[in-house]
Amino acid sequence: MSKPAAPLKGRAARLARLMPSTGPSTAARTPFVLLVVLLLGGGLITLLLLNSALNEGSFRLSELKRDTTELTDEQQALQRDVDSRSQPDALERRARELGMVPGGSPAFLDPDGTVRGNPTEATAPPPSPSPTPSPRASAGAAPDPDATATGASGSASPSGSAPAAEPDSAAESDSATAPAAESTPPPTSPGR
Protein backbone atom coordinates (compact mmCIF):
# COMPACT_ATOMS: atom_id res chain seq x y z
CA MET A 1 0.00 0.00 0.00
CA SER A 2 0.93 3.57 -0.23
CA LYS A 3 2.37 5.62 2.50
CA PRO A 4 0.12 8.01 4.32
CA ALA A 5 0.56 11.61 3.23
CA ALA A 6 2.93 13.63 5.33
CA PRO A 7 1.25 16.11 7.57
CA LEU A 8 1.22 19.65 6.22
CA LYS A 9 3.10 22.32 8.06
CA GLY A 10 2.72 26.04 8.35
CA ARG A 11 0.60 27.95 5.97
CA ALA A 12 -0.50 24.92 3.96
CA ALA A 13 -1.84 23.29 7.13
CA ARG A 14 -3.90 26.32 7.97
CA LEU A 15 -5.38 26.45 4.44
CA ALA A 16 -6.15 22.75 4.58
CA ARG A 17 -8.06 23.23 7.80
CA LEU A 18 -10.13 26.09 6.34
CA MET A 19 -10.95 24.26 3.06
CA PRO A 20 -11.34 20.60 3.62
CA SER A 21 -10.40 18.44 0.66
CA THR A 22 -13.05 15.96 -0.47
CA GLY A 23 -11.30 14.82 -3.65
CA PRO A 24 -11.49 16.20 -7.16
CA SER A 25 -14.70 18.16 -7.64
CA THR A 26 -16.67 17.22 -10.74
CA ALA A 27 -19.38 19.75 -9.97
CA ALA A 28 -17.05 22.63 -10.82
CA ARG A 29 -16.07 21.14 -14.22
CA THR A 30 -19.59 20.28 -15.41
CA PRO A 31 -20.61 23.80 -16.59
CA PHE A 32 -17.30 24.22 -18.45
CA VAL A 33 -17.69 20.86 -20.23
CA LEU A 34 -21.31 21.66 -21.16
CA LEU A 35 -20.22 25.05 -22.49
CA VAL A 36 -17.50 23.50 -24.66
CA VAL A 37 -19.89 20.80 -25.98
CA LEU A 38 -22.54 23.41 -26.77
CA LEU A 39 -20.01 25.62 -28.58
CA LEU A 40 -18.70 22.69 -30.64
CA GLY A 41 -22.24 21.49 -31.48
CA GLY A 42 -23.35 24.99 -32.41
CA GLY A 43 -20.29 25.41 -34.61
CA LEU A 44 -20.95 22.12 -36.40
CA ILE A 45 -24.61 22.97 -37.00
CA THR A 46 -23.61 26.41 -38.28
CA LEU A 47 -21.08 24.83 -40.67
CA LEU A 48 -23.72 22.38 -41.95
CA LEU A 49 -26.21 25.18 -42.57
CA LEU A 50 -23.58 27.31 -44.29
CA ASN A 51 -22.49 24.37 -46.47
CA SER A 52 -26.06 23.58 -47.51
CA ALA A 53 -26.71 27.26 -48.33
CA LEU A 54 -23.58 27.35 -50.49
CA ASN A 55 -24.61 24.14 -52.28
CA GLU A 56 -28.08 25.53 -52.92
CA GLY A 57 -26.54 28.70 -54.36
CA SER A 58 -24.24 26.60 -56.54
CA PHE A 59 -27.16 24.60 -57.92
CA ARG A 60 -29.12 27.80 -58.58
CA LEU A 61 -26.11 29.33 -60.33
CA SER A 62 -25.67 26.31 -62.61
CA GLU A 63 -29.41 26.35 -63.39
CA LEU A 64 -29.26 30.06 -64.28
CA LYS A 65 -26.20 29.49 -66.48
CA ARG A 66 -28.05 26.71 -68.32
CA ASP A 67 -31.11 28.94 -68.78
CA THR A 68 -28.88 31.76 -70.04
CA THR A 69 -27.28 29.43 -72.57
CA GLU A 70 -30.69 28.22 -73.80
CA LEU A 71 -32.03 31.77 -74.09
CA THR A 72 -28.89 32.93 -75.90
CA ASP A 73 -29.28 30.07 -78.40
CA GLU A 74 -32.95 30.96 -78.91
CA GLN A 75 -32.10 34.64 -79.37
CA GLN A 76 -29.46 33.79 -81.96
CA ALA A 77 -31.90 31.53 -83.84
CA LEU A 78 -34.51 34.31 -83.85
CA GLN A 79 -31.90 36.80 -85.03
CA ARG A 80 -30.94 34.46 -87.90
CA ASP A 81 -34.65 34.19 -88.80
CA VAL A 82 -35.02 37.98 -88.79
CA ASP A 83 -31.86 38.36 -90.88
CA SER A 84 -33.06 35.81 -93.44
CA ARG A 85 -36.45 37.53 -93.74
CA SER A 86 -34.79 40.96 -94.02
CA GLN A 87 -32.70 40.10 -97.05
CA PRO A 88 -33.74 42.04 -100.15
CA ASP A 89 -34.77 38.99 -102.19
CA ALA A 90 -36.91 37.66 -99.34
CA LEU A 91 -38.56 41.07 -98.90
CA GLU A 92 -39.24 41.30 -102.64
CA ARG A 93 -40.74 37.79 -102.74
CA ARG A 94 -42.96 38.53 -99.73
CA ALA A 95 -44.07 41.86 -101.22
CA ARG A 96 -45.03 40.11 -104.47
CA GLU A 97 -46.98 37.52 -102.47
CA LEU A 98 -48.91 40.39 -100.88
CA GLY A 99 -49.65 41.87 -104.31
CA MET A 100 -47.25 44.80 -104.14
CA VAL A 101 -45.50 46.02 -107.27
CA PRO A 102 -42.34 48.08 -107.73
CA GLY A 103 -43.02 51.81 -107.74
CA GLY A 104 -42.43 54.06 -110.70
CA SER A 105 -40.25 57.13 -110.73
CA PRO A 106 -40.97 59.23 -107.64
CA ALA A 107 -42.20 62.78 -107.55
CA PHE A 108 -41.34 65.23 -104.79
CA LEU A 109 -43.19 68.18 -103.29
CA ASP A 110 -41.24 71.33 -102.68
CA PRO A 111 -41.97 73.42 -99.56
CA ASP A 112 -43.88 75.92 -101.68
CA GLY A 113 -46.24 73.16 -102.94
CA THR A 114 -44.86 72.68 -106.45
CA VAL A 115 -44.35 69.16 -107.74
CA ARG A 116 -40.85 68.23 -108.84
CA GLY A 117 -40.61 65.21 -111.14
CA ASN A 118 -43.18 63.34 -113.16
CA PRO A 119 -45.35 61.03 -111.01
CA THR A 120 -46.24 57.75 -112.67
CA GLU A 121 -48.61 55.03 -111.58
CA ALA A 122 -47.04 51.80 -110.35
CA THR A 123 -48.17 48.94 -112.51
CA ALA A 124 -47.55 45.25 -112.16
CA PRO A 125 -45.39 43.61 -114.79
CA PRO A 126 -47.28 41.18 -116.96
CA PRO A 127 -47.35 37.70 -115.42
CA SER A 128 -44.83 35.38 -116.96
CA PRO A 129 -46.36 32.22 -118.38
CA SER A 130 -45.39 29.35 -116.14
CA PRO A 131 -45.33 25.83 -117.53
CA THR A 132 -47.81 23.41 -116.04
CA PRO A 133 -45.88 21.15 -113.65
CA SER A 134 -45.93 17.46 -114.43
CA PRO A 135 -47.35 15.13 -111.73
CA ARG A 136 -43.88 13.77 -111.05
CA ALA A 137 -42.33 17.25 -110.70
CA SER A 138 -45.14 18.58 -108.49
CA ALA A 139 -44.71 15.72 -106.02
CA GLY A 140 -40.99 16.37 -105.52
CA ALA A 141 -40.57 20.10 -106.08
CA ALA A 142 -42.64 23.19 -105.41
CA PRO A 143 -43.61 25.50 -108.29
CA ASP A 144 -41.92 28.87 -108.62
CA PRO A 145 -43.32 31.07 -105.80
CA ASP A 146 -42.91 34.29 -107.86
CA ALA A 147 -44.92 32.87 -110.75
CA THR A 148 -47.77 31.64 -108.56
CA ALA A 149 -47.85 34.80 -106.48
CA THR A 150 -48.08 37.12 -109.48
CA GLY A 151 -50.40 34.81 -111.37
CA ALA A 152 -52.77 34.33 -108.44
CA SER A 153 -52.85 37.96 -107.35
CA GLY A 154 -53.28 39.51 -110.79
CA SER A 155 -52.48 43.18 -111.14
CA ALA A 156 -53.05 45.35 -108.13
CA SER A 157 -53.95 49.00 -108.30
CA PRO A 158 -51.74 51.49 -106.46
CA SER A 159 -54.43 52.14 -103.85
CA GLY A 160 -54.30 48.49 -102.75
CA SER A 161 -57.85 47.62 -103.86
CA ALA A 162 -58.91 44.32 -105.41
CA PRO A 163 -57.41 43.28 -108.76
CA ALA A 164 -59.09 44.75 -111.82
CA ALA A 165 -59.04 41.59 -113.96
CA GLU A 166 -59.93 37.99 -113.14
CA PRO A 167 -56.95 35.61 -113.25
CA ASP A 168 -56.96 33.14 -116.11
CA SER A 169 -57.61 29.42 -115.60
CA ALA A 170 -53.90 28.49 -115.83
CA ALA A 171 -53.10 30.80 -112.91
CA GLU A 172 -55.98 29.31 -110.93
CA SER A 173 -54.64 25.79 -111.46
CA ASP A 174 -51.16 26.96 -110.39
CA SER A 175 -52.55 28.53 -107.21
CA ALA A 176 -54.55 25.38 -106.47
CA THR A 177 -51.40 23.23 -106.65
CA ALA A 178 -49.28 25.63 -104.60
CA PRO A 179 -48.08 23.96 -101.39
CA ALA A 180 -49.37 25.18 -98.06
CA ALA A 181 -45.84 26.04 -96.91
CA GLU A 182 -45.82 29.11 -99.16
CA SER A 183 -48.89 30.60 -97.49
CA THR A 184 -47.13 31.53 -94.28
CA PRO A 185 -48.52 34.36 -92.15
CA PRO A 186 -46.86 37.74 -92.62
CA PRO A 187 -44.04 38.51 -90.21
CA THR A 188 -44.95 40.90 -87.43
CA SER A 189 -42.76 43.68 -86.23
CA PRO A 190 -42.83 45.13 -82.71
CA GLY A 191 -45.00 48.17 -82.29
CA ARG A 192 -47.22 47.50 -85.29
PDB file of all heavy atoms in Angstrom, residues 159-184:
ATOM      1  N   SER A 159     -53.752  51.860-105.113  1.00  0.00           N
ATOM      2  CA  SER A 159     -54.433  52.138-103.852  1.00  0.00           C
ATOM      3  C   SER A 159     -54.597  50.890-103.015  1.00  0.00           C
ATOM      4  O   SER A 159     -55.067  50.957-101.896  1.00  0.00           O
ATOM      5  CB  SER A 159     -55.804  52.769-104.120  1.00  0.00           C
ATOM      6  OG  SER A 159     -56.610  51.838-104.825  1.00  0.00           O
ATOM      7  N   GLY A 160     -54.234  49.714-103.527  1.00  0.00           N
ATOM      8  CA  GLY A 160     -54.298  48.491-102.753  1.00  0.00           C
ATOM      9  C   GLY A 160     -55.667  47.832-102.807  1.00  0.00           C
ATOM     10  O   GLY A 160     -55.976  46.989-101.995  1.00  0.00           O
ATOM     11  N   SER A 161     -56.523  48.235-103.775  1.00  0.00           N
ATOM     12  CA  SER A 161     -57.850  47.623-103.859  1.00  0.00           C
ATOM     13  C   SER A 161     -57.747  46.290-104.580  1.00  0.00           C
ATOM     14  O   SER A 161     -56.679  45.858-104.966  1.00  0.00           O
ATOM     15  CB  SER A 161     -58.811  48.568-104.587  1.00  0.00           C
ATOM     16  OG  SER A 161     -58.335  48.787-105.910  1.00  0.00           O
ATOM     17  N   ALA A 162     -58.874  45.646-104.793  1.00  0.00           N
ATOM     18  CA  ALA A 162     -58.906  44.324-105.410  1.00  0.00           C
ATOM     19  C   ALA A 162     -58.399  44.400-106.841  1.00  0.00           C
ATOM     20  O   ALA A 162     -58.442  45.442-107.480  1.00  0.00           O
ATOM     21  CB  ALA A 162     -60.330  43.787-105.381  1.00  0.00           C
ATOM     22  N   PRO A 163     -57.918  43.279-107.386  1.00  0.00           N
ATOM     23  CA  PRO A 163     -57.412  43.275-108.757  1.00  0.00           C
ATOM     24  C   PRO A 163     -58.519  43.627-109.750  1.00  0.00           C
ATOM     25  O   PRO A 163     -59.686  43.294-109.557  1.00  0.00           O
ATOM     26  CB  PRO A 163     -56.928  41.844-108.975  1.00  0.00           C
ATOM     27  CG  PRO A 163     -56.957  41.174-107.652  1.00  0.00           C
ATOM     28  CD  PRO A 163     -57.745  42.015-106.730  1.00  0.00           C
ATOM     29  N   ALA A 164     -58.124  44.284-110.849  1.00  0.00           N
ATOM     30  CA  ALA A 164     -59.090  44.745-111.822  1.00  0.00           C
ATOM     31  C   ALA A 164     -59.553  43.608-112.726  1.00  0.00           C
ATOM     32  O   ALA A 164     -60.690  43.591-113.159  1.00  0.00           O
ATOM     33  CB  ALA A 164     -58.487  45.873-112.660  1.00  0.00           C
ATOM     34  N   ALA A 165     -58.685  42.658-113.027  1.00  0.00           N
ATOM     35  CA  ALA A 165     -59.036  41.595-113.963  1.00  0.00           C
ATOM     36  C   ALA A 165     -59.042  40.259-113.240  1.00  0.00           C
ATOM     37  O   ALA A 165     -58.311  40.037-112.285  1.00  0.00           O
ATOM     38  CB  ALA A 165     -58.028  41.555-115.106  1.00  0.00           C
ATOM     39  N   GLU A 166     -59.883  39.337-113.694  1.00  0.00           N
ATOM     40  CA  GLU A 166     -59.927  37.987-113.143  1.00  0.00           C
ATOM     41  C   GLU A 166     -58.714  37.220-113.636  1.00  0.00           C
ATOM     42  O   GLU A 166     -58.322  37.340-114.800  1.00  0.00           O
ATOM     43  CB  GLU A 166     -61.193  37.269-113.633  1.00  0.00           C
ATOM     44  CG  GLU A 166     -62.484  37.798-113.027  1.00  0.00           C
ATOM     45  CD  GLU A 166     -62.593  37.424-111.558  1.00  0.00           C
ATOM     46  OE1 GLU A 166     -62.172  36.316-111.199  1.00  0.00           O
ATOM     47  OE2 GLU A 166     -63.080  38.247-110.789  1.00  0.00           O
ATOM     48  N   PRO A 167     -58.081  36.407-112.781  1.00  0.00           N
ATOM     49  CA  PRO A 167     -56.948  35.606-113.252  1.00  0.00           C
ATOM     50  C   PRO A 167     -57.439  34.517-114.194  1.00  0.00           C
ATOM     51  O   PRO A 167     -58.562  34.036-114.095  1.00  0.00           O
ATOM     52  CB  PRO A 167     -56.362  35.019-111.972  1.00  0.00           C
ATOM     53  CG  PRO A 167     -57.430  35.138-110.947  1.00  0.00           C
ATOM     54  CD  PRO A 167     -58.327  36.256-111.371  1.00  0.00           C
ATOM     55  N   ASP A 168     -56.563  34.154-115.149  1.00  0.00           N
ATOM     56  CA  ASP A 168     -56.955  33.139-116.113  1.00  0.00           C
ATOM     57  C   ASP A 168     -56.944  31.759-115.466  1.00  0.00           C
ATOM     58  O   ASP A 168     -56.477  31.570-114.357  1.00  0.00           O
ATOM     59  CB  ASP A 168     -56.035  33.178-117.345  1.00  0.00           C
ATOM     60  CG  ASP A 168     -54.582  33.001-116.960  1.00  0.00           C
ATOM     61  OD1 ASP A 168     -54.163  31.836-116.765  1.00  0.00           O
ATOM     62  OD2 ASP A 168     -53.894  34.033-116.844  1.00  0.00           O
ATOM     63  N   SER A 169     -57.455  30.758-116.176  1.00  0.00           N
ATOM     64  CA  SER A 169     -57.613  29.420-115.602  1.00  0.00           C
ATOM     65  C   SER A 169     -56.265  28.762-115.317  1.00  0.00           C
ATOM     66  O   SER A 169     -56.151  27.960-114.395  1.00  0.00           O
ATOM     67  CB  SER A 169     -58.446  28.539-116.531  1.00  0.00           C
ATOM     68  OG  SER A 169     -57.775  28.401-117.775  1.00  0.00           O
ATOM     69  N   ALA A 170     -55.204  29.074-116.079  1.00  0.00           N
ATOM     70  CA  ALA A 170     -53.896  28.486-115.827  1.00  0.00           C
ATOM     71  C   ALA A 170     -53.350  28.983-114.489  1.00  0.00           C
ATOM     72  O   ALA A 170     -52.746  28.225-113.732  1.00  0.00           O
ATOM     73  CB  ALA A 170     -52.922  28.828-116.956  1.00  0.00           C
ATOM     74  N   ALA A 171     -53.569  30.264-114.191  1.00  0.00           N
ATOM     75  CA  ALA A 171     -53.100  30.800-112.911  1.00  0.00           C
ATOM     76  C   ALA A 171     -53.881  30.194-111.767  1.00  0.00           C
ATOM     77  O   ALA A 171     -53.348  29.972-110.686  1.00  0.00           O
ATOM     78  CB  ALA A 171     -53.228  32.322-112.898  1.00  0.00           C
ATOM     79  N   GLU A 172     -55.193  29.935-111.991  1.00  0.00           N
ATOM     80  CA  GLU A 172     -55.985  29.307-110.928  1.00  0.00           C
ATOM     81  C   GLU A 172     -55.497  27.903-110.648  1.00  0.00           C
ATOM     82  O   GLU A 172     -55.430  27.482-109.500  1.00  0.00           O
ATOM     83  CB  GLU A 172     -57.461  29.272-111.326  1.00  0.00           C
ATOM     84  CG  GLU A 172     -58.124  30.635-111.283  1.00  0.00           C
ATOM     85  CD  GLU A 172     -59.569  30.557-111.735  1.00  0.00           C
ATOM     86  OE1 GLU A 172     -60.045  29.460-112.057  1.00  0.00           O
ATOM     87  OE2 GLU A 172     -60.201  31.611-111.757  1.00  0.00           O
ATOM     88  N   SER A 173     -55.127  27.155-111.694  1.00  0.00           N
ATOM     89  CA  SER A 173     -54.642  25.793-111.462  1.00  0.00           C
ATOM     90  C   SER A 173     -53.294  25.814-110.769  1.00  0.00           C
ATOM     91  O   SER A 173     -52.999  24.962-109.952  1.00  0.00           O
ATOM     92  CB  SER A 173     -54.554  25.018-112.780  1.00  0.00           C
ATOM     93  OG  SER A 173     -53.560  25.602-113.609  1.00  0.00           O
ATOM     94  N   ASP A 174     -52.452  26.841-111.080  1.00  0.00           N
ATOM     95  CA  ASP A 174     -51.161  26.955-110.386  1.00  0.00           C
ATOM     96  C   ASP A 174     -51.370  27.277-108.913  1.00  0.00           C
ATOM     97  O   ASP A 174     -50.688  26.750-108.045  1.00  0.00           O
ATOM     98  CB  ASP A 174     -50.298  28.036-111.030  1.00  0.00           C
ATOM     99  CG  ASP A 174     -49.670  27.578-112.337  1.00  0.00           C
ATOM    100  OD1 ASP A 174     -49.685  26.357-112.614  1.00  0.00           O
ATOM    101  OD2 ASP A 174     -49.174  28.446-113.054  1.00  0.00           O
ATOM    102  N   SER A 175     -52.328  28.169-108.613  1.00  0.00           N
ATOM    103  CA  SER A 175     -52.551  28.526-107.215  1.00  0.00           C
ATOM    104  C   SER A 175     -53.202  27.382-106.459  1.00  0.00           C
ATOM    105  O   SER A 175     -53.034  27.261-105.249  1.00  0.00           O
ATOM    106  CB  SER A 175     -53.398  29.794-107.112  1.00  0.00           C
ATOM    107  OG  SER A 175     -54.698  29.526-107.622  1.00  0.00           O
ATOM    108  N   ALA A 176     -53.932  26.523-107.148  1.00  0.00           N
ATOM    109  CA  ALA A 176     -54.545  25.375-106.474  1.00  0.00           C
ATOM    110  C   ALA A 176     -53.505  24.324-106.132  1.00  0.00           C
ATOM    111  O   ALA A 176     -53.643  23.603-105.150  1.00  0.00           O
ATOM    112  CB  ALA A 176     -55.623  24.765-107.362  1.00  0.00           C
ATOM    113  N   THR A 177     -52.436  24.230-106.931  1.00  0.00           N
ATOM    114  CA  THR A 177     -51.403  23.225-106.652  1.00  0.00           C
ATOM    115  C   THR A 177     -50.276  23.774-105.805  1.00  0.00           C
ATOM    116  O   THR A 177     -49.335  23.069-105.515  1.00  0.00           O
ATOM    117  CB  THR A 177     -50.806  22.689-107.973  1.00  0.00           C
ATOM    118  OG1 THR A 177     -50.233  23.792-108.682  1.00  0.00           O
ATOM    119  CG2 THR A 177     -51.847  21.978-108.796  1.00  0.00           C
ATOM    120  N   ALA A 178     -50.350  25.049-105.410  1.00  0.00           N
ATOM    121  CA  ALA A 178     -49.275  25.631-104.597  1.00  0.00           C
ATOM    122  C   ALA A 178     -49.291  24.967-103.226  1.00  0.00           C
ATOM    123  O   ALA A 178     -50.333  24.767-102.639  1.00  0.00           O
ATOM    124  CB  ALA A 178     -49.485  27.139-104.460  1.00  0.00           C
ATOM    125  N   PRO A 179     -48.119  24.616-102.708  1.00  0.00           N
ATOM    126  CA  PRO A 179     -48.076  23.964-101.395  1.00  0.00           C
ATOM    127  C   PRO A 179     -48.467  24.926-100.285  1.00  0.00           C
ATOM    128  O   PRO A 179     -48.356  26.137-100.420  1.00  0.00           O
ATOM    129  CB  PRO A 179     -46.624  23.514-101.258  1.00  0.00           C
ATOM    130  CG  PRO A 179     -45.850  24.352-102.215  1.00  0.00           C
ATOM    131  CD  PRO A 179     -46.804  24.711-103.323  1.00  0.00           C
ATOM    132  N   ALA A 180     -48.917  24.374 -99.184  1.00  0.00           N
ATOM    133  CA  ALA A 180     -49.373  25.177 -98.056  1.00  0.00           C
ATOM    134  C   ALA A 180     -48.211  25.879 -97.362  1.00  0.00           C
ATOM    135  O   ALA A 180     -48.409  26.834 -96.639  1.00  0.00           O
ATOM    136  CB  ALA A 180     -50.110  24.304 -97.056  1.00  0.00           C
ATOM    137  N   ALA A 181     -46.994  25.423 -97.565  1.00  0.00           N
ATOM    138  CA  ALA A 181     -45.839  26.035 -96.911  1.00  0.00           C
ATOM    139  C   ALA A 181     -45.603  27.454 -97.412  1.00  0.00           C
ATOM    140  O   ALA A 181     -45.032  28.272 -96.716  1.00  0.00           O
ATOM    141  CB  ALA A 181     -44.594  25.195 -97.149  1.00  0.00           C
ATOM    142  N   GLU A 182     -46.039  27.770 -98.638  1.00  0.00           N
ATOM    143  CA  GLU A 182     -45.821  29.106 -99.164  1.00  0.00           C
ATOM    144  C   GLU A 182     -46.795  30.112 -98.581  1.00  0.00           C
ATOM    145  O   GLU A 182     -46.562  31.293 -98.633  1.00  0.00           O
ATOM    146  CB  GLU A 182     -45.940  29.101-100.681  1.00  0.00           C
ATOM    147  CG  GLU A 182     -44.798  28.375-101.350  1.00  0.00           C
ATOM    148  CD  GLU A 182     -44.931  28.389-102.847  1.00  0.00           C
ATOM    149  OE1 GLU A 182     -45.890  28.980-103.379  1.00  0.00           O
ATOM    150  OE2 GLU A 182     -44.097  27.797-103.493  1.00  0.00           O
ATOM    151  N   SER A 183     -47.904  29.665 -98.035  1.00  0.00           N
ATOM    152  CA  SER A 183     -48.887  30.597 -97.487  1.00  0.00           C
ATOM    153  C   SER A 183     -48.645  30.781 -95.997  1.00  0.00           C
ATOM    154  O   SER A 183     -49.479  30.501 -95.175  1.00  0.00           O
ATOM    155  CB  SER A 183     -50.299  30.089 -97.740  1.00  0.00           C
ATOM    156  OG  SER A 183     -50.447  28.842 -97.086  1.00  0.00           O
ATOM    157  N   THR A 184     -47.459  31.275 -95.672  1.00  0.00           N
ATOM    158  CA  THR A 184     -47.125  31.526 -94.278  1.00  0.00           C
ATOM    159  C   THR A 184     -47.690  32.873 -93.876  1.00  0.00           C
ATOM    160  O   THR A 184     -47.858  33.766 -94.718  1.00  0.00           O
ATOM    161  CB  THR A 184     -45.593  31.543 -94.084  1.00  0.00           C
ATOM    162  OG1 THR A 184     -45.029  32.510 -94.947  1.00  0.00           O
ATOM    163  CG2 THR A 184     -45.005  30.172 -94.378  1.00  0.00           C
TER     164      THR A 184
END
